[in-house]
């Protein structure tokens, strides 16, 4: 298996622009997670899905952020409009379950908003 | 109080020495625990899972202390390649998944 795939790996954009991050989880994993990591705040869970359904989006910072999972093999995290404070590394992860199996992380998308 | 807390370090460790650090958690009902390792500018990767009192994998030992609600990670005979940030994860029996902020370990020659 290729593992969790994320694209793009790097994104540089200007404030106000829309940003779309993409993730393909490991086949057969029922859970998909979106995280954001910064030096100041560490690793933060933004949202997670179970069987394509959003379960907990309480970590989504504000309405500018939205996430979708139209099918079991694809998810997007969208920021519209982007702001400089959104600059971070965004990780996608997938797992078989929530509590007893490890999460496999993608390589991350490094986002810079100018 | 945060649900999962870690000493951020850094722990500066001479090569060959032993280092240990803890992760405290607030949910006494948690049944599973994980240590992840994260190298600089890389994604976290699972180092060890703990479902009972502890686990050992080569030079790495995790111990769970349920009474005091912490899990420790001990690294023996430290290698330069052990330099990384170690993240503790304690999935709650309910509610949100929380990662600790991580403990940085720097192994020096």
């Amino acid at each position: 298996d290729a593992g969790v795939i994320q694209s793009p790996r790097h994104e540089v954009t200007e404030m106000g622009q829309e940003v779309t991050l993409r993730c393909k989880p490991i086949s057969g994993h029922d859970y998909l997670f979106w995280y954001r990591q910064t030096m100041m705040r560490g690793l933060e869970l933004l949202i997670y899905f179970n069987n394509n359904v959003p379960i907990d989006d309480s970590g989504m910072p504000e309405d500018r952020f939205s996430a979708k999972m139209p099918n079991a093999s694809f998810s997007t995290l969208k920021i519209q409009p982007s702001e400089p404070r959104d600059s971070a590394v965004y990780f996608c992860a997938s797992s078989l379950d929530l509590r007893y199996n490890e999460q496999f992380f993608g390589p991350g998308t490094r986002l810079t908003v100018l | 109080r945060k649900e999962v807390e870690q000493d951020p370090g850094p722990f500066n460790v001479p090569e060959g020495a032993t280092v240990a650090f803890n992760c405290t958690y607030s949910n006494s009902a948690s049944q599973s625990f994980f240590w992840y390792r994260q190298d600089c500018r890389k994604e976290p990767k699972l180092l060890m899972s703990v479902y009972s009192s502890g686990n050992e994998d080569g030079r790495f030992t995790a111990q769970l202390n349920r009474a005091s609600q912490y899990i420790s990670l001990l690294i023996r005979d430290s290698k330069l390649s052990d330099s990384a940030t170690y993240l503790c994860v304690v999935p709650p029996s309910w509610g949100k998944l929380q990662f600790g902020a991580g403990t940085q370990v720097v192994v020096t020659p």
Side-chain angles (χ1 to χ4, degrees), chain B residues 32-64:
Chain B
S32 57
F33 308 85
F34 301 90
W35 281 106
Y36 283 75
R37 171 198 169 122
Q38 186 173 24
D39 294 308
C40 187
R41 302 179 76 86
K42 297 284 190 179
E43 71 273 23
K45 291 185 179 178
L46 182 71
L47 176 68
M48 191 173 292
S49 307
V50 182
Y51 302 112
S52 57
S53 60
N55 196 1
E56 185 173 332
D57 184 3
R59 299 182 293 108
F60 297 84
T61 301
Q63 288 287 344
L64 173 61

Side-chain angles (χ1 to χ4, degrees), chain A residues 3-112:
Chain A
V4 176
I5 299 172
Q6 290 186 249
S7 64
R9 294 291 304 276
H10 301 273
E11 177 81 31
V12 180
T13 191
E14 292 188 346
M15 183 174 64
Q17 295 298 305
E18 178 179 295
V19 175
T20 300
L21 311 181
R22 296 173 177 80
C23 175
K24 176 179 168 53
I26 291 173
S27 177
H29 282 190
D30 292 333
Y31 285 82
L32 182 140
F33 307 82
W34 281 102
Y35 291 91
R36 175 174 70 176
Q37 188 172 40
T38 61
M39 288 293 293
M40 291 295 294
R41 301 174 68 92
L43 193 64
E44 302 174 278
L45 177 64
L46 301 177
I47 185 171
Y48 75 88
F49 296 82
N50 177 215
N51 293 324
N52 314 338
V53 176
I55 302 301
D56 183 353
D57 65 354
S58 59
M60 297 285 263
E62 47 198 273
D63 292 345
R64 297 185 297 107
F65 285 69
S66 62
K68 293 182 180 179
M69 192 166 184
N71 57 62
S73 59
F74 184 65
S75 178
T76 59
L77 178 67
K78 187 174 294 186
I79 309 173
Q80 166 63 17
S82 58
E83 296 182 4
R85 60 190 168 124
D86 301 331
S87 297
V89 179
Y90 290 81
F91 289 107
C92 176
S94 71
S95 70
L96 289 170
D97 64 47
L98 186 60
R99 299 194 171 88
Y100 298 103
N101 283 276
E102 71 174 290
Q103 294 184 34
F104 291 84
F105 283 76
T109 295
R110 187 169 296 275
L111 174 66
T112 302

